Amino acid sequence: MKKTGLLVAMLVMMVSASSYAQDSYRQVVKDYLTAVSQFDKDKVGILALSEIFDKNGQVDIDQLTKRYFDERYEDDVIDFYVTSMTEQGMTEADLRELSSLVSTPEFKVFSDHTKNWAMGIASEMMGPLMGMMDFDEKAGIDSREYMDKVSNYVSILDSPVQPNPEIDAAYAEKFNHVMLKSPVMKLLKDIMLKRFEQKETPDDPGRQESDTKVKDWMTKNLPVLLLNHAYGNLTPEDLDYASHLFANEAYFKLSNFDLNNIDMESLKKKQVNSKYLEWMLAQGAKLTEDPKAIMGMFKSLFESYESQTDDITKED
């Protein structure tokens, strides 16, 4: 009996220790997410996603979304990043170091300049698409004006991005060495290529040709596009800081992981967007049948990030 009691006591202690470790790791992840303002960043995506729900139905989508933020949002965000960080092998020590790192004024400046850089790229690629969405809806989908805008947008894929002649060779060399060879850029390219690989091949030969054209265009033009928009947004000092940042072991571990070793399906199910959609549907929300809803979602997302970039520019 004494042995049995001792065994039970040991099991209780093990379970308690395991629970403490999980709570401790979860808190460290939350601290890191707070330090990088991740809760605010992901909220922008949720607000844009709310556009795909029927706002003329019996359910008040705005109020229901507010309830989601109040009741579930933070836990869902933390759940996702706990899983992601665990998959990437991030330890509590790694995350504490990163929280300290991203809280410095130097990182804040670098982060703001990087956001401006990213928005410049998004504007060039999404700008024509946004213009298509502003056409006179009364003209109809087959209007000449709309089709002209479609043609202009598609023609981008037939035109190579031209290097900015104002960029000096020293800046280009430093950018290519620091940024294009960084783990962040490697991850970006891997994600893009993996999406094309995982995408189901459409039966329509025209769609197959279009997908191949997009992939080829991105492969050839992305480096030039990145450099063009870095100039004027990322200073030489930013590039020097980035070089030191990428050399940091914890930061390198966070940004340099192999997608082939990550359970992407598991992560997709835990993504806050998926959790939000699941929760909203369970509460009686209905997806809209309006074909323009998806475009409206992208427009809302684009405008939100554009507004944030304007705020950063004013601060600078």
Side-chain angles (χ1 to χ4, degrees):
M1 291 293 292
K2 290 184 178 180
K3 290 183 178 179
T4 302
L6 179 60
L7 178 60
V8 171
M10 290 177 64
L11 288 173
V12 170
M13 290 174 63
M14 290 173 63
V15 171
S16 298
S18 175
S19 298
Y20 173 78
Q22 291 175 6
D23 290 343
S24 177
Y25 190 83
R26 187 178 180 85
Q27 183 60 50
V28 173
V29 170
K30 180 179 178 180
D31 292 342
Y32 170 72
L33 297 177
T34 301
V36 294
S37 303
Q38 194 64 48
F39 294 108
D40 293 334
K41 295 173 184 176
D42 285 348
K43 186 173 286 188
V44 171
I46 294 296
L47 289 171
L49 192 57
S50 68
E51 296 293 326
I52 70 172
F53 288 104
D54 183 3
K55 295 193 174 183
N56 296 318
Q58 297 180 345
V59 176
D60 188 323
I61 300 302
D62 293 336
Q63 284 296 321
L64 200 55
T65 298
K66 184 179 182 304
R67 264 189 61 200
Y68 175 77
F69 284 137
D70 293 339
E71 298 175 12
R72 291 283 303 274
Y73 174 70
E74 185 174 288
D75 282 338
D76 283 347
V77 173
I78 296 173
D79 285 345
F80 170 75
Y81 283 100
V82 164
T83 302
S84 176
M85 298 296 187
T86 302
E87 289 271 0
Q88 291 168 237
M90 301 297 295
T91 65
E92 289 189 26
D94 290 331
L95 291 169
R96 289 194 185 95
E97 181 177 352
L98 286 174
S99 293
S100 297
L101 181 67
V102 301
S103 299
T104 61
E106 293 82 4
F107 184 88
K108 175 67 165 59
V109 171
F110 176 72
S111 179
D112 288 347
H113 290 177
T114 301
K115 185 179 289 185
N116 290 340
W117 172 41
M119 277 306 303
I121 297 167
S123 296
E124 179 164 336
M125 298 184 70
M126 295 294 290
L129 185 59
M130 294 301 108
M132 286 165 54
M133 293 164 59
D134 289 333
F135 77 104
D136 184 1
E137 295 181 7
K138 295 181 181 179
I141 194 70
D142 294 323
S143 69
R144 181 178 297 279
E145 177 188 4
Y146 179 74
M147 295 310 295
D148 285 345
K149 289 184 176 182
V150 172
S151 298
N152 290 337
Y153 181 68
V154 174
S155 68
I156 292 175
L157 299 179
D158 294 322
S159 305
V161 177
Q162 299 300 322
N164 181 350
E166 296 181 6
I167 301 176
D168 60 86
Y171 181 91
E173 183 179 0
K174 177 178 284 192
F175 175 83
N176 292 337
H177 176 71
V178 174
M179 300 303 294
L180 291 188
K181 295 182 180 179
S182 70
V184 176
M185 288 299 106
K186 176 182 179 300
L187 179 60
L188 175 63
K189 293 175 185 177
D190 287 348
I191 289 175
M192 289 171 50
L193 293 176
K194 199 171 185 67
R195 285 190 174 182
F196 280 107
E197 292 170 0
Q198 293 179 340
K199 191 173 182 181
E200 294 184 4
T201 303
D203 295 331
D204 183 1
R207 287 281 303 281
Q208 293 177 6
E209 182 181 353
S210 175
D211 288 348
T212 300
K213 181 179 288 189
V214 171
K215 181 179 178 181
D216 290 345
W217 187 92
M218 293 296 292
T219 302
K220 295 175 183 176
N221 293 280
L222 186 60
V224 182
L225 190 66
L226 292 172
L227 174 60
N228 283 352
H229 286 282
Y231 191 70
N233 285 314
L234 296 180
T235 66
E237 292 75 19
D238 288 327
L239 297 180
D240 289 335
Y241 177 78
S243 181
H244 291 293
L245 183 65
F246 298 151
N248 179 278
E249 187 175 344
Y251 192 88
F252 182 83
K253 185 188 292 187
L254 178 69
S255 55
N256 186 50
F257 60 93
D258 188 352
L259 291 177
N260 294 320
N261 294 328
I262 300 294
D263 187 351
M264 298 303 294
E265 290 303 316
S266 175
L267 283 181
K268 285 178 183 178
K269 292 177 182 178
K270 284 184 173 289
Q271 279 183 334
V272 66
N273 287 358
S274 299
K275 291 292 186 179
Y276 167 70
L277 288 172
E278 181 182 306
W279 187 85
M280 291 287 285
L281 293 171
Q283 305 304 314
K286 304 293 183 184
L287 296 175
T288 180
E289 296 181 0
D290 185 352
K292 302 184 185 68
I294 298 296
M295 300 294 277
M297 179 188 72
F298 282 118
K299 186 173 184 178
S300 174
L301 188 63
F302 183 79
E303 290 174 347
S304 296
Y305 282 122
E306 195 172 43
S307 175
Q308 289 182 22
T309 302
D310 289 341
D311 291 340
I312 293 172
T313 303
K314 290 176 183 176
E315 291 177 6
D316 290 344

Coordinates of all heavy atoms in Angstrom, one line a residue, residues 26-64:
R26 N 3.6 29.1 -22.0 CA 2.5 29.9 -22.6 C 2.7 31.4 -22.2 O 2.5 32.3 -23.1 CB 1.2 29.3 -22.1 CG 0.0 30.0 -22.7 CD -1.3 29.3 -22.2 NE -2.5 29.9 -22.8 CZ -3.0 29.5 -24.0 NH1 -2.4 28.5 -24.6 NH2 -4.1 30.1 -24.5
Q27 N 3.1 31.6 -21.0 CA 3.2 33.0 -20.5 C 4.4 33.7 -21.3 O 4.3 34.9 -21.6 CB 3.5 33.1 -19.0 CG 3.6 34.5 -18.4 CD 2.3 35.3 -18.7 OE1 1.2 34.9 -18.4 NE2 2.5 36.5 -19.2
V28 N 5.5 32.9 -21.5 CA 6.6 33.5 -22.2 C 6.3 33.8 -23.6 O 6.7 34.8 -24.2 CB 7.8 32.5 -22.1 CG1 9.0 33.0 -23.0 CG2 8.3 32.4 -20.7
V29 N 5.5 32.9 -24.2 CA 5.0 33.2 -25.6 C 4.2 34.5 -25.6 O 4.3 35.3 -26.5 CB 4.2 32.0 -26.2 CG1 3.5 32.4 -27.5 CG2 5.1 30.8 -26.4
K30 N 3.3 34.6 -24.7 CA 2.4 35.8 -24.6 C 3.2 37.0 -24.4 O 2.9 38.1 -25.0 CB 1.4 35.6 -23.4 CG 0.5 36.8 -23.3 CD -0.5 36.6 -22.1 CE -1.4 37.8 -22.0 NZ -2.4 37.7 -20.8
D31 N 4.2 37.0 -23.6 CA 5.1 38.1 -23.4 C 5.8 38.6 -24.7 O 5.9 39.7 -25.0 CB 6.2 37.8 -22.3 CG 5.6 37.7 -20.9 OD1 4.4 38.1 -20.7 OD2 6.2 37.1 -20.1
Y32 N 6.2 37.6 -25.4 CA 6.9 37.9 -26.7 C 5.9 38.5 -27.7 O 6.2 39.5 -28.4 CB 7.5 36.6 -27.3 CG 8.0 36.8 -28.7 CD1 9.1 37.5 -29.0 CD2 7.2 36.3 -29.8 CE1 9.5 37.8 -30.3 CE2 7.6 36.5 -31.1 CZ 8.8 37.2 -31.4 OH 9.2 37.4 -32.7
L33 N 4.7 37.9 -27.8 CA 3.6 38.4 -28.7 C 3.3 39.8 -28.3 O 3.0 40.6 -29.2 CB 2.4 37.5 -28.7 CG 2.6 36.1 -29.1 CD1 1.3 35.3 -29.0 CD2 3.1 36.0 -30.6
T34 N 3.2 40.1 -27.1 CA 2.9 41.5 -26.6 C 4.0 42.4 -27.0 O 3.8 43.6 -27.5 CB 2.7 41.5 -25.1 OG1 1.7 40.6 -24.7 CG2 2.4 42.9 -24.6
A35 N 5.3 42.0 -26.9 CA 6.4 42.8 -27.2 C 6.5 43.2 -28.7 O 6.9 44.3 -29.0 CB 7.7 42.1 -26.8
V36 N 6.0 42.3 -29.6 CA 6.0 42.6 -31.0 C 4.7 43.1 -31.5 O 4.4 43.2 -32.7 CB 6.5 41.3 -31.8 CG1 7.9 41.0 -31.5 CG2 5.6 40.1 -31.6
S37 N 3.7 43.4 -30.6 CA 2.4 43.9 -30.9 C 1.6 42.9 -31.9 O 0.9 43.3 -32.7 CB 2.5 45.2 -31.6 OG 3.2 46.2 -30.8
Q38 N 1.9 41.6 -31.7 CA 1.3 40.6 -32.5 C -0.3 40.5 -32.4 O -1.0 40.3 -33.4 CB 1.8 39.2 -32.3 CG 1.5 38.2 -33.3 CD 2.2 38.6 -34.7 OE1 3.3 38.9 -34.7 NE2 1.4 38.5 -35.7
F39 N -0.8 40.8 -31.2 CA -2.2 40.8 -31.0 C -2.9 41.9 -31.8 O -4.0 41.6 -32.4 CB -2.5 41.0 -29.5 CG -2.1 39.8 -28.6 CD1 -1.0 40.0 -27.8 CD2 -2.7 38.6 -28.7 CE1 -0.6 38.9 -27.0 CE2 -2.3 37.5 -27.9 CZ -1.3 37.7 -27.0
D40 N -2.3 43.0 -31.9 CA -2.8 44.1 -32.8 C -2.7 43.8 -34.2 O -3.6 44.1 -35.0 CB -2.1 45.4 -32.5 CG -2.3 45.9 -31.1 OD1 -3.4 45.6 -30.5 OD2 -1.5 46.7 -30.5
K41 N -1.6 43.2 -34.6 CA -1.4 42.8 -36.0 C -2.4 41.8 -36.5 O -3.0 42.0 -37.6 CB 0.0 42.3 -36.3 CG 1.1 43.3 -36.0 CD 2.5 42.7 -36.0 CE 3.6 43.6 -35.7 NZ 4.9 43.0 -35.6
D42 N -2.6 40.8 -35.8 CA -3.5 39.7 -36.2 C -5.0 40.2 -36.1 O -5.8 39.7 -36.9 CB -3.4 38.5 -35.3 CG -2.1 37.7 -35.6 OD1 -1.5 37.9 -36.6 OD2 -1.8 36.8 -34.8
K43 N -5.3 41.2 -35.3 CA -6.6 41.7 -35.2 C -7.0 42.4 -36.5 O -8.2 42.3 -36.9 CB -6.7 42.7 -34.0 CG -8.1 43.2 -33.8 CD -8.2 44.0 -32.5 CE -8.1 43.2 -31.3 NZ -8.4 43.9 -30.0
V44 N -6.1 43.0 -37.2 CA -6.3 43.6 -38.5 C -6.9 42.6 -39.5 O -7.8 42.9 -40.2 CB -5.1 44.3 -39.0 CG1 -5.3 44.8 -40.5 CG2 -4.7 45.5 -38.1
G45 N -6.3 41.4 -39.5 CA -6.7 40.4 -40.4 C -8.1 39.9 -40.1 O -8.9 39.6 -41.0
I46 N -8.4 39.8 -38.8 CA -9.8 39.3 -38.4 C -10.8 40.3 -38.8 O -11.9 39.9 -39.3 CB -9.8 39.1 -36.9 CG1 -8.9 38.0 -36.4 CG2 -11.3 38.8 -36.4 CD1 -9.3 36.6 -37.0
L47 N -10.6 41.6 -38.6 CA -11.5 42.6 -39.0 C -11.8 42.6 -40.5 O -12.9 42.8 -41.0 CB -11.0 44.0 -38.6 CG -11.0 44.3 -37.1 CD1 -10.3 45.6 -36.7 CD2 -12.5 44.3 -36.6
A48 N -10.7 42.4 -41.3 CA -10.9 42.3 -42.8 C -11.6 41.0 -43.1 O -12.5 41.0 -44.0 CB -9.5 42.2 -43.4
L49 N -11.4 39.9 -42.4 CA -12.1 38.6 -42.7 C -13.6 38.7 -42.4 O -14.4 38.0 -43.0 CB -11.4 37.5 -41.8 CG -11.8 36.1 -42.2 CD1 -11.5 35.8 -43.6 CD2 -11.1 35.1 -41.2
S50 N -13.9 39.6 -41.5 CA -15.4 39.7 -41.2 C -16.2 40.2 -42.4 O -17.4 40.1 -42.4 CB -15.6 40.7 -40.0 OG -15.2 42.1 -40.4
E51 N -15.5 40.7 -43.4 CA -16.2 41.2 -44.6 C -16.9 40.1 -45.4 O -17.7 40.3 -46.2 CB -15.2 41.9 -45.5 CG -14.7 43.2 -44.9 CD -15.7 44.3 -44.7 OE1 -16.6 44.4 -45.6 OE2 -15.6 45.1 -43.8
I52 N -16.4 38.8 -45.2 CA -17.0 37.7 -46.0 C -18.3 37.2 -45.4 O -18.9 36.2 -45.9 CB -16.0 36.6 -46.1 CG1 -15.7 35.8 -44.8 CG2 -14.7 37.1 -46.7 CD1 -14.9 34.6 -45.0
F53 N -18.7 37.7 -44.2 CA -20.0 37.3 -43.6 C -21.1 38.2 -44.1 O -20.9 39.4 -44.4 CB -19.9 37.3 -42.1 CG -19.0 36.2 -41.5 CD1 -17.7 36.5 -41.0 CD2 -19.5 34.9 -41.5 CE1 -17.0 35.5 -40.5 CE2 -18.7 33.9 -40.9 CZ -17.4 34.2 -40.5
D54 N -22.3 37.6 -44.1 CA -23.5 38.3 -44.6 C -23.9 39.3 -43.5 O -24.4 38.9 -42.4 CB -24.6 37.3 -44.8 CG -25.9 38.0 -45.3 OD1 -25.9 39.2 -45.6 OD2 -26.9 37.3 -45.5
K55 N -23.8 40.6 -43.8 CA -24.1 41.6 -42.8 C -25.6 42.1 -42.9 O -26.0 43.0 -42.1 CB -23.2 42.8 -42.9 CG -21.7 42.5 -42.6 CD -20.8 43.7 -42.5 CE -19.4 43.3 -42.0 NZ -18.5 44.4 -41.8
N56 N -26.3 41.5 -43.8 CA -27.7 41.8 -43.9 C -28.6 40.7 -43.3 O -29.8 40.7 -43.5 CB -28.1 42.0 -45.4 CG -27.4 43.2 -45.9 OD1 -27.3 44.3 -45.3 ND2 -26.9 43.1 -47.2
G57 N -28.0 39.7 -42.7 CA -28.7 38.6 -42.1 C -29.2 38.9 -40.7 O -29.2 40.1 -40.2
Q58 N -29.6 37.9 -40.0 CA -30.2 38.1 -38.6 C -29.1 38.3 -37.6 O -29.4 38.8 -36.5 CB -31.0 36.8 -38.3 CG -32.2 36.6 -39.2 CD -33.0 35.4 -38.8 OE1 -32.5 34.5 -38.0 NE2 -34.2 35.3 -39.3
V59 N -27.9 38.0 -37.9 CA -26.8 38.1 -36.9 C -26.1 39.4 -37.2 O -25.7 39.7 -38.3 CB -25.8 36.9 -37.0 CG1 -24.6 37.1 -36.1 CG2 -26.5 35.6 -36.7
D60 N -25.8 40.1 -36.1 CA -25.0 41.4 -36.2 C -23.5 41.0 -36.2 O -22.9 40.6 -35.2 CB -25.3 42.3 -34.9 CG -24.6 43.6 -35.1 OD1 -23.5 43.7 -35.6 OD2 -25.2 44.6 -34.6
I61 N -22.9 41.0 -37.4 CA -21.6 40.5 -37.6 C -20.6 41.4 -36.8 O -19.6 40.8 -36.2 CB -21.2 40.5 -39.1 CG1 -22.1 39.6 -39.9 CG2 -19.7 40.1 -39.2 CD1 -22.1 38.2 -39.4
D62 N -20.7 42.7 -36.7 CA -19.8 43.5 -36.0 C -19.9 43.2 -34.5 O -18.8 43.1 -33.8 CB -20.1 45.0 -36.3 CG -19.9 45.4 -37.7 OD1 -19.0 44.7 -38.3 OD2 -20.5 46.4 -38.2
Q63 N -21.1 43.1 -33.9 CA -21.2 42.8 -32.5 C -20.6 41.4 -32.2 O -20.0 41.2 -31.2 CB -22.7 42.8 -32.1 CG -23.2 44.3 -31.9 CD -22.5 45.0 -30.8 OE1 -22.1 44.5 -29.8 NE2 -22.2 46.3 -31.1
L64 N -20.9 40.4 -33.1 CA -20.4 39.1 -32.9 C -18.9 39.0 -32.9 O -18.2 38.3 -32.2 CB -21.0 38.1 -33.9 CG -21.0 36.6 -33.6 CD1 -21.7 36.4 -32.3 CD2 -21.7 35.8 -34.7

